[in-house]
Amino acid sequence: MRALVVGDTGGIGEAVAARLRGRGAEVVGLSRQRDGFDVDDPARAEAVLDFLEGPFGLIFVATGALVNTRAAPEKSLREVSAEEMATQFAVNTIGPALVLKQAPRLLARRERGVFAALSARVGSIGDNRAGGWYSYRASKAALNQVIRTGAVELARSHKQAVCVALHPGTVATDFTANYPAHKKVEAEAAATNLLGVLDGLTPAQSGGFYDYAGLEVPW
């Protein structure tokens, strides 16, 4: 199998790429630092994607950011800023959407093909009981809608496609370093969990939002 891992130099992305190679997959990676895949420059990001050639059996988007212009997510409405919200949407929503835009061209058409993007449980509107984290929550909720909508379109031309959002849990990476009180799993374990979930999904479950145990997360 050929797999594309976007964000393969980050904690989860690197672990996913390693697990896939361990399974014998041919892995193509994309990162901002190495390949210039920078969603702050959408034209450049799309140019990088245009050079890719399919088919891929799996496209896994592991990019994301918890904060960009702040030290921590917003705790109240007083802290909301247009700058932070715009940068969160650029990384967490627009970036994966640009990759998904290429999925009809890059995914296998006559056999099972999977598109998966890392979302977060805090992006669930139905599960939001704590409040706060406005920019991150909103950008991940928007990502979930992009995934759901893309799944509907993919199903028309790729009958065996699976297109889903994934919640990886709290993973021990630089991303979560400022949250020592949270129970975390190592990136390698998270990668194993997520790939196991993807292995078990069918086209009938495309367009869904699933956690690391394969349980559906409410929208």
Side-chain angles (χ1 to χ4, degrees), residues 120-134 136-138 141 217-219:
R121 188 178 296 276
V122 296
S124 165
I125 296 173
D127 192 58
N128 184 359
R129 297 175 180 83
W133 293 39
Y134 287 89
Y136 187 69
R137 285 185 187 275
V217 181
W219 295 118

Side-chain angles (χ1 to χ4, degrees), residues 3 12 18 29 76 84 89 97 101 111 120 123 132 157 167 215:
I12 299 177
S76 72
E84 177 64 15
F89 270 77
K101 178 181 176 180
E111 57 190 50
S157 57
H167 167 60
L215 301 176

Side-chain angles (χ1 to χ4, degrees), residues 28-122:
V28 176
L30 278 184
S31 75
R32 178 171 56 183
Q33 181 178 5
R34 186 188 60 236
D35 306 296
F37 182 75
D38 186 356
V39 294
D40 290 331
D41 185 347
R44 184 177 180 185
E46 291 202 89
V48 172
L49 291 168
D50 285 342
F51 275 101
L52 294 173
E53 294 185 4
F56 291 101
L58 169 65
I59 299 174
F60 193 103
V61 182
T63 54
L66 183 61
V67 289
N68 282 298
T69 67
R70 301 173 48 82
E74 310 97 333
K75 292 183 179 180
S76 72
L77 284 168
R78 293 189 303 273
E79 299 177 31
V80 171
S81 73
E83 183 182 16
E84 177 64 15
M85 188 161 281
T87 57
Q88 287 283 303
F89 270 77
V91 176
N92 294 329
T93 310
I94 297 174
L98 292 179
V99 183
L100 182 56
K101 178 181 176 180
Q102 301 282 343
R105 178 178 71 86
L106 294 176
L107 277 181
R109 184 179 290 267
R110 292 181 174 83
E111 57 190 50
R112 185 175 186 269
V114 178
F115 183 98
L118 291 184
S119 186
R121 188 178 296 276
V122 296

Side-chain angles (χ1 to χ4, degrees), residues 6 30 33 39 42 89-90 96 104 128 138 146 166 176 182 194 196:
V6 181
L30 278 184
Q33 181 178 5
V39 294
F89 270 77
N128 184 359
V146 168
L166 296 174
T176 62
H182 289 242
L194 294 172

